[in-house]
Amino acid sequence: MASTHGAAAQVLVASNRGPVSYTVGEDGSLHARRGGGGLVSGLSAIGPDAGALWVCSALSDGDREAVRRGVGEDGVRMLPVPADVHADAYNGIANSVLWFVHHLLYQTPLEPVFDAEFRRQWASYETYNRAFAEALAQEAAQGAAVLVQDYHLCLVPGMLRELRPDLRIGHFSHTPWAPVDYFGLLPGDIRVQLLRGMLGADRLGFLTRRWADAFAACCEEFTGGTGGTEIGVHGLGADADFLRARSRERDVEERLAALREEIGTAPEGGARKVIVRVDRTELSKNIVRGLLAYRQLLDDRPEWHERVVHVAFAYPSRQDLAVYRDYTAEVQRLAGEINERYGSAGWTPVVLHVKDDFARSLAAYRLADVALVNPIRDGMNLVAKEVPVVSDRGCALVLSREAGAYGELREDAITVNPYDVLETARALHEALTMAPEERAQRTKRLAAAATALPPARWFLDQLEALRGTRAS
Ligand code: G6P
């Protein structure tokens, strides 16, 4: 087949959300915005001449307009999947079924319901995955490495394998993987299709051993094993150099000053203690129980009144889904209730912001005395890894045992069962009262563990391992 594939791409990344998005201005002009994240910095590590191509989906109207006008960035190909197909695949299947299964989010007396509507959406998920497989098959050079990302694209490896047996195909899951009994909620044919789709890859990557083992257990149960597919664990770490430099820039300093204003000072005139959380408003992030735990702390320990502030950033996510909108509203309601009940003229117990602002997030990291990271379940959770790197005075980390980061950070974190609000309240108190010397020591070790595998290395390791899966 060698001569039939004249395409240039040697390394291909495929993901639903790409590294750039477009908006249409009032005058009809297109504006590009570049995103960040592990994959972006990972890919930049192989350099501009490596023949890399990122295949992603056109998500917004601006993205679709860019495709229509033939506008694009070098190294990025956006697929103009029809909006209704994309909505079924992304909102319907990826976010409402697969995300729920892997994060154990269903309220099972009423959901899930696998009915005719589900089957209709599933057909869109197949169509959407096929669009990726076909684009990748078209763009990949002979023997190229293809790195497929996440639960949106589980069927791509199998589909691509059929179209292009010459390729090295990898798939990486940035989420947890469901335990066998929970994955078993899915209809029998669907779970086999998902697993076989992924097993079409030469190599599958997970963030922790726990998620890799859960996947292998599902294969044991439902497909009779993982076949010849290799499974690897790559625990993405924080990007220390980038974070340290970025968090000292001017916009961060400005936000730091504004946040200090909002936090205010304790009655004795000293600084108030700051408990920080920064999340996208995901159902899995457990923001509501975090607020309940903080309320419990204020109930149990009046000595903290006027002396602590909970800075909570809950940035909008997946607002097409009613359950996300309701959850966002509950976060706001509860924060308001706590402020109503305990606040005073000079003290706002919860400073909640919902408008996404990366510079302000870094400012909050710098101020943190305590970081609260209490997800119900999380693939890794980079906030847990970033705060210890950035915090000015060192911070105590309250960390859920269900976060992927738990494996690497447990020894120096105060760990909690995310469902146990009383335990979390006690952990917050312990974190707030940790002696400065101990806090400094722990922060140093947390930062070292958190940065052990920076994004560039994380990406290159996967690429090397994938290239080593078969003899050339
Ligand atoms: C989180 C998960 C990723 C996932 C992403 C999708 O960050 O860790 O695994 O790809 O969400 O988010 P989106 O906003 O595109 O739905």
Side-chain angles (χ1 to χ4, degrees):
M1 294 187 63
S3 59
T4 58
H5 301 299
Q10 295 291 344
V11 178
L12 297 92
V13 169
S15 65
N16 173 60
R17 192 176 293 279
V20 60
S21 63
Y22 294 89
T23 45
V24 189
E26 301 223 329
D27 59 351
S29 63
L30 282 172
H31 300 276
R33 238 192 98 205
R34 290 200 70 90
L39 272 175
V40 171
S41 46
L43 249 192
S44 63
I46 61 174
D49 304 324
L53 179 71
W54 193 321
V55 177
C56 56
S57 186
L59 299 178
S60 62
D61 292 341
D63 293 351
R64 289 199 184 84
E65 186 56 27
V67 176
R68 243 192 315 273
R69 292 189 202 170
V71 171
E73 305 223 346
D74 276 355
V76 178
R77 176 169 167 196
M78 273 190 178
L79 302 181
V81 182
D84 55 338
V85 172
H86 187 266
D88 285 345
Y90 174 71
N91 287 321
I93 300 298
N95 290 341
S96 300
V97 177
L98 301 179
W99 182 271
F100 272 58
V101 167
H102 291 315
H103 293 86
L104 320 184
L105 294 175
Y106 284 123
Q107 305 204 14
T108 51
L110 295 174
E111 54 177 12
V113 177
F114 297 115
D115 54 6
E117 173 64 2
F118 165 77
R119 290 287 164 174
R120 198 187 57 70
Q121 294 181 334
W122 182 258
S124 292
Y125 184 78
E126 292 174 319
T127 303
Y128 162 80
N129 273 252
R130 187 158 301 284
F132 271 83
E134 284 169 358
L136 293 163
Q138 198 180 60
E139 301 281 1
Q142 182 71 24
V146 183
L147 296 143
V148 182
Q149 310 298 315
D150 248 336
Y151 52 97
H152 313 93
L153 302 177
C154 289
L155 307 181
V156 167
M159 291 173 168
L160 184 56
R161 164 77 59 229
E162 279 189 18
L163 295 170
R164 292 287 305 273
D166 60 297
L167 301 178
R168 308 285 170 91
I169 305 171
H171 181 283
F172 195 87
S173 291
H174 299 258
T175 61
W177 192 269
V180 171
D181 286 351
Y182 212 83
F183 193 73
L185 295 178
L186 293 167
D189 60 324
I190 300 292
R191 57 196 185 215
V192 170
Q193 210 183 327
L194 284 166
L195 296 173
R196 293 238 163 91
M198 286 174 66
L199 292 173
D202 294 292
R203 191 166 189 280
L204 298 172
F206 294 89
L207 285 165
T208 69
R209 174 54 51 200
R210 184 179 175 199
W211 313 141
D213 287 349
F215 175 82
C218 285
C219 292
E220 275 312 311
E221 184 70 22
F222 301 120
T223 59
T226 50
T229 300
E230 202 176 292
I231 295 185
V233 174
H234 301 269
L236 175 64
D239 192 341
D241 297 341
F242 165 75
L243 287 169
R244 291 208 174 101
R246 182 69 186 85
S247 63
R248 263 69 195 167
E249 282 178 23
R250 207 167 118 203
D251 56 345
V252 178
E253 300 287 351
E254 283 164 12
R255 283 158 180 81
L256 200 60
L259 268 179
R260 284 207 175 100
E261 279 289 305
E262 283 187 274
I263 290 164
T265 47
E268 306 78 20
R272 283 181 170 135
K273 294 268 187 185
V274 184
I275 300 172
V276 168
R277 78 170 307 136
V278 176
D279 291 292
R280 305 202 317 170
T281 311
E282 293 292 344
L283 311 175
S284 52
K285 298 293 183 183
N286 210 21
I287 304 171
V288 169
R289 285 194 195 81
L291 287 167
L292 292 175
Y294 181 65
R295 185 176 73 182
Q296 189 70 41
L297 174 80
L298 298 180
D299 275 346
D300 293 346
R301 305 232 171 226
E303 69 264 32
W304 285 118
H305 294 190
E306 303 273 351
R307 292 186 177 79
V308 66
V309 170
H310 183 17
V311 171
F313 295 167
Y315 299 145
S317 168
R318 305 181 191 161
Q319 292 292 300
D320 288 346
L321 298 178
V323 59
Y324 276 69
R325 294 196 298 273
D326 294 348
Y327 188 75
T328 305
E330 178 57 11
V331 167
Q332 286 173 310
R333 190 199 64 75
L334 190 52
E337 187 196 294
I338 295 170
N339 286 338
E340 188 68 24
R341 172 144 30 140
Y342 292 105
S344 65
W347 176 48
T348 307
V350 182
V351 169
L352 175 70
H353 284 291
V354 297
K355 189 175 175 300
D356 198 340
D357 181 340
F358 182 57
R360 195 186 48 214
S361 300
L362 291 175
Y365 287 2
R366 285 186 56 182
L367 279 174
D369 294 293
V370 175
L372 174 58
V373 180
N374 65 326
I376 289 170
R377 203 168 156 91
D378 212 333
M380 174 56 75
N381 197 297
L382 279 179
V383 174
K385 291 186 162 182
E386 289 167 353
V387 187
V389 175
V390 173
S391 77
D392 281 344
R393 298 182 308 275
C395 73
L397 174 63
V398 174
L399 179 64
S400 164
R401 294 182 198 114
E402 303 305 317
Y406 172 76
E408 291 160 274
L409 305 183
R410 55 190 289 178
E411 277 172 28
D412 288 295
I414 300 171
T415 63
V416 295
N417 168 347
Y419 301 94
D420 190 339
V421 167
L422 297 180
E423 185 190 35
T424 307
R426 287 194 300 273
L428 288 175
H429 178 71
E430 189 187 335
L432 286 165
T433 51
M434 190 181 284
E437 181 57 20
E438 182 179 353
R439 195 168 96 169
Q441 290 301 325
R442 285 195 191 213
T443 304
K444 216 188 258 177
R445 290 191 298 260
L446 285 169
T451 54
L453 188 58
R457 191 69 255 160
W458 169 82
F459 183 81
L460 293 175
D461 284 355
Q462 290 179 60
L463 194 57
E464 266 167 40
L466 180 60
R467 286 187 168 139
T469 48
R470 285 187 280 162
S472 299

